[in-house]
Amino acid sequence: EWKSVGSLSDSFSMWLTMIFLVLPVISRRITQSFRCSEYDGGQYSYLESDASMDCDATRYESMVVFAALMVLVYPLGLPLLVFIMLFRLRDKLNPRGKDGVSEEAVVADRKEDAKL
């Protein structure tokens, strides 16, 4: 049970801030898993972000599969999750007068609603 609307909105704001601070770093690291550089006319290829990783090795293929799954989770999944959460809360985030109820009354009801 939430103690007040303020604590819930503060937690949500902190969570959103964390996501958007961490998301670019994680997304960049994931996408670096796909970038290989070729040497000696294409005879050798190594990962650009980690030259010890041979792009022709089985270990690299496993890493690419994992990285592809993580692309679905982080760079695509987290923004989609945030969009869905905000879309579901859109009336509480930007209340409009409905059914003859003034915007002030909607805002007052929101302040009393601890469930957001």
Side-chain angles (χ1 to χ4, degrees), residues 2 8 19 37 40 56 61 64 67 69-70 75 82 96 111:
W2 297 100
L8 179 59
I19 285 176
S37 292
D40 290 339
D56 297 324
E61 291 172 6
V64 167
L69 291 173
M70 290 302 104
V82 170
R96 292 180 237 141
K111 289 180 181 177

Side-chain angles (χ1 to χ4, degrees), residues 6 8 17 31-32 41 44 61-62 83 85 89 97-99 111:
L8 179 59
T17 303
T31 56
Q32 287 176 341
Y44 304 103
E61 291 172 6
S62 300
F83 171 77
M85 290 175 68
L89 294 171
K98 294 182 182 179
D99 303 326
K111 289 180 181 177

